[in-house]
Structure formats: structure tokens, C-alpha cells
């Protein structure tokens, strides 16, 4: 069963099955987006694995990784449309540094 996904006219929000979610920052360079999405996927996997094993410390670390990745993507924190280009760049650079991926 497919999900009903639409984007608002202003491009700031995705609507998934009637629920609104903040869209990723469209100004992210492709390589930065790919790196942040990788960390997001690893973090989500870590949450699942930690929950299955009952390791709350691992779940906490994985959730922090998800938070950092989503902040870097512009899905959390100050809305990307309220930031200038320098602030947006600092946001994703800080997220990558927090994730240990500041290459």
C-alpha cells in the first residue's frame, strides 16, 4: 500500500497521509544530503537494534544521531527558510561535525 505524499506550494512541508512534516533544506549540496541521509539511516537502524536488545544506552546514542542528522537536513531546529545561506551552511557543517563526518 503506497503512501499519499504531497508537497505544499511553498515547498516547506511534505504532507504524508494527512500529516505535515518539514521538508529537507533544498539548498543542501547533494554530497552533504547523502552523508546526512546515511547517518539518519544508521541512527534509525541503531534505534531498532537497541530497542530489540533492550539496550537503552544504545537507543539514546542512536536517537542523538537521528536528531543531529535531521537537524543538519533542516527538518528540525530553526526552519531553513528563516536562515540565510551562511546560517544554513553552519547548521549542516555543525551536524556533520557532531556526527564525526566533517571531512
Amino acid at each position: 500500500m503506497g503512501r499519499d505524499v504531497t508537497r505544499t506550494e511553498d515547498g516547506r512541508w511534505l504532507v504524508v497521509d494527512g500529516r505535515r512534516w518539514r521538508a529537507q533544506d533544498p539548498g543542501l549540496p547533494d554530497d552533504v544530503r547523502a552523508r546526512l541521509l546515511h547517518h539518519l539511516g544508521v541512527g534509525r537502524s541503531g534505534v531498532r537494534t537497541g530497542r530489540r536488545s533492550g539496550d537503552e544506552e544504545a537507543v539514546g546514542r542512536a536517537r542523538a544521531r537521528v536528531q543531529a542528522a535531521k537537524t543538519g537536513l533542516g527538518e528540525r531546529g530553526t526552519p531553513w527558510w528563516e536562515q540565510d545561506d551562511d546560517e544554513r551552511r553552519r547548521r549542516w557543517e555543525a551536524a556533520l561535525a557532531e556526527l564525526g563526518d566533517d571531512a
Side-chain angles (χ1 to χ4, degrees), residues 35-53:
R35 289 160 51 198
L36 290 167
L37 287 172
H38 168 76
H39 286 288
L40 179 60
V42 171
R44 286 177 169 165
S45 176
V47 169
R48 283 190 302 274
T49 301
R51 289 174 104 187
R52 277 191 222 123
S53 68

Side-chain angles (χ1 to χ4, degrees), residues 9-46:
E9 272 188 48
D10 61 12
R12 297 175 178 174
W13 305 96
L14 297 174
V15 181
V16 181
D17 296 331
R19 187 167 178 191
R20 191 175 74 162
W21 300 89
R22 192 185 308 173
Q24 294 174 4
D25 182 347
L28 286 170
D30 290 340
D31 64 314
V32 170
R33 183 181 316 281
R35 289 160 51 198
L36 290 167
L37 287 172
H38 168 76
H39 286 288
L40 179 60
V42 171
R44 286 177 169 165
S45 176

